[in-house]
């Protein structure tokens, strides 16, 4: 039986805990119904016996286990309380020690910040909730943060994206431990994807170009008003009163993107809003300046991991 420890602390996100917990519980249910022993021993552990989540619901928790005891998986959820948890040296020290005992260590959502605070993500690829990527990157520059995946494995450390991505992560564990058939049965029972199409870019604000007071804000406003017009490098440089070479260099320094990539992101963001309001794919492709539905489809697949028609139906 695999022991799964899910860490809890004050103001934790309830679904970060209950989502993975239910996946393992459902796998156990299917096993016992088939006359087989349960596969998992999931337990919520905390420094206090009673933990209040950010939703107001309280959790009863077992004491933090001593280091050196065998554990298959350590899961560190996130939530509004993660910043305070990062400032708790005893808790961080416990995570460091317990991760050495675990076969695999994982985080859900902003729980990646606790793993990073413990030094477990230094030099590793990782993901966290899309809304906290900028904060995370500033606080933990040694981590190779990737904003879009639903979850990432780097060695024996796993990180997952926002909130419900903990369910995706737990399903991947069930698939690795018990096979695809069991993982699919659990996914069907919970009415979720076994492998969710696309990444969390579908749910995040992929376009940050309009935020702040950058030197190209006025240009971005003009682009949004002229999506179906001439947005060539020559035209953009002329609007910015720069040479092509100077514009390309200064623009990438200011935004972290090439002008061509920024135009694609602006068009895709505008297309998303139109599709969410019920516009057809052909209308959207034309009004957003893609030139053809196929060009828009390739852009959506590249940036969002899904095609425009599926995106429209989903949202």
């Amino acid at each position: 039986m695999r022991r799964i420890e899910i860490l809890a602390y004050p103001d934790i996100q309830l679904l970060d805990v209950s989502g993975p917990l239910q996946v393992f519980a459902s796998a156990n249910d299917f096993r016992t119904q088939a006359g087989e022993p349960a596969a998992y021993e999931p337990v919520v552990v905390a420094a206090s016996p009673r933990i209040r989540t950010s939703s107001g619901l309280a959790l009863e928790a077992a004491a933090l286990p001593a280091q050196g005891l065998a554990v298959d998986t350590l899961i560190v959820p996130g939530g509004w309380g993660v910043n305070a948890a990062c400032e708790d040296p005893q808790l961080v020290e416990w995570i460091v020690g317990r991760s050495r005992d675990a076969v695999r260590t994982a985080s859900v959502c902003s729980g990646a910040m606790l793993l990073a605070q413990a030094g477990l993500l230094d030099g590793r690829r990782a993901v966290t909730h899309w809304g906290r990527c900028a904060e995370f990157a500033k606080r933990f520059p040694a981590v190779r943060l990737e904003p879009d995946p639903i979850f990432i494995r780097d060695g024996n450390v796993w990180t997952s994206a926002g909130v419900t991505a903990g369910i995706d992560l737990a399903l991947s564990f069930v698939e690795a431990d018990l096979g695809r058939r069991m993982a699919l049965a659990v996914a069907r029972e919970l009415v979720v994807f076994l492998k969710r199409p696309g990444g969390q870019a579908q749910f995040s604000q992929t376009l940050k170009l309009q935020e702040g007071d950058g030197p190209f804000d006025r240009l971005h406003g003009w682009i949004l008003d002229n999506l179906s017009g001439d947005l060539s490098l020559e035209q953009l440089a002329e609007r910015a009163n720069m040479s092509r070479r100077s514009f390309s260099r200064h623009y990438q320094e200011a935004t972290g993107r090439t002008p061509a990539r920024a135009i694609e992101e602006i068009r895709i963001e505008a297309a998303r809003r139109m599709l969410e309001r019920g516009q057809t794919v052909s209308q959207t492709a034309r009004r957003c300046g893609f030139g053809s539905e196929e060009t828009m489809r390739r852009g959506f697949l590249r940036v969002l991991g899904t095609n425009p028609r599926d995106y429209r139906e989903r949202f």
Side-chain angles (χ1 to χ4, degrees):
M1 184 179 292
R2 295 172 171 84
R3 180 177 172 88
I4 311 289
E5 293 177 358
I6 303 178
L7 177 65
Y9 49 85
D11 288 327
I12 202 167
Q13 162 64 248
L14 176 62
L15 197 53
D16 284 9
V17 177
S18 62
L21 195 63
Q22 186 58 57
V23 169
F24 298 122
S26 293
N28 280 344
D29 288 343
F30 281 115
R31 295 266 297 186
T32 55
Q33 290 166 12
E36 300 174 332
Y40 297 106
E41 180 192 359
V43 58
V44 177
V45 300
S48 302
R50 186 176 176 85
I51 296 293
R52 181 180 174 86
T53 67
S54 59
S55 66
L57 185 67
L59 300 175
E60 292 186 0
L64 295 178
Q67 295 178 16
L69 299 177
V71 58
D72 182 84
T73 304
L74 171 64
I75 297 179
V76 179
W80 293 118
V82 72
N83 287 343
C86 285
E87 299 302 318
D88 183 340
Q90 291 181 322
L91 184 62
V92 173
E93 184 180 355
W94 180 86
I95 293 172
V96 172
R98 201 62 178 134
S99 69
R100 297 194 188 104
D101 301 327
V103 176
R104 55 193 174 199
T105 299
S107 66
V108 180
C109 194
S110 56
M113 290 188 169
L114 263 171
L115 294 190
Q117 185 71 27
L120 300 178
L121 299 182
D122 287 354
R124 295 183 187 269
R125 297 169 58 234
V127 65
T128 189
H129 190 288
W130 64 264
R132 305 198 73 170
C133 283
E135 175 190 358
F136 186 100
K138 179 179 289 187
R139 290 179 59 181
F140 306 108
V143 181
R144 295 157 54 195
L145 185 67
E146 298 183 16
D148 291 339
I150 294 297
F151 59 83
I152 289 175
R153 177 185 181 181
D154 192 323
N156 68 336
V157 179
W158 304 65
T159 53
S160 59
V163 194
T164 57
I167 296 174
D168 301 73
L169 179 68
L171 284 169
S172 74
F173 290 163
V174 171
E175 184 174 11
D177 298 338
L178 306 177
R180 180 179 176 83
R181 181 175 296 180
M182 175 62 79
L184 184 58
V186 173
R188 284 172 172 164
E189 183 188 38
L190 300 182
V191 198
V192 296
F193 290 109
L194 175 57
K195 295 188 183 297
R196 192 188 312 198
Q200 71 168 343
Q202 295 184 41
F203 310 98
S204 65
Q205 298 175 354
T206 60
L207 182 60
K208 299 291 185 180
L209 297 173
Q210 292 297 299
E211 297 182 357
D213 54 354
F216 296 104
D217 285 356
R218 183 174 296 181
L219 177 64
H220 293 148
W222 178 83
I223 292 170
L224 284 168
D225 291 335
N226 295 274
L227 288 176
S228 60
D230 178 11
L231 297 181
S232 64
L233 181 60
E234 292 82 357
Q235 179 67 15
L236 297 178
E238 182 179 339
R239 296 289 306 183
N241 294 317
M242 297 180 182
S243 68
R244 287 179 51 184
R245 178 178 295 182
S246 180
F247 171 73
S248 294
R249 178 168 58 84
H250 286 293
Y251 188 87
Q252 187 155 4
E253 288 175 353
T255 67
R257 300 163 172 82
T258 64
R261 180 59 186 267
I263 294 298
E264 180 180 60
E265 290 184 0
I266 291 172
R267 281 181 165 143
I268 287 174
E269 186 74 6
R272 288 173 59 180
R273 292 196 296 268
M274 290 182 62
L275 293 172
E276 289 164 7
R277 292 196 297 267
Q279 296 290 320
T280 66
V281 173
S282 60
Q283 288 173 328
T284 301
R286 184 175 62 255
R287 291 179 60 184
C288 292
F290 285 101
S292 70
E293 291 185 34
E294 176 60 21
T295 300
M296 185 168 78
R297 188 187 72 84
R298 290 198 299 267
F300 264 63
L301 288 172
R302 183 164 47 251
V303 176
L304 302 180
T306 190
N307 65 61
R309 295 186 185 280
D310 287 348
Y311 186 91
R312 184 177 184 271
E313 291 176 4
R314 191 173 302 141
F315 295 102

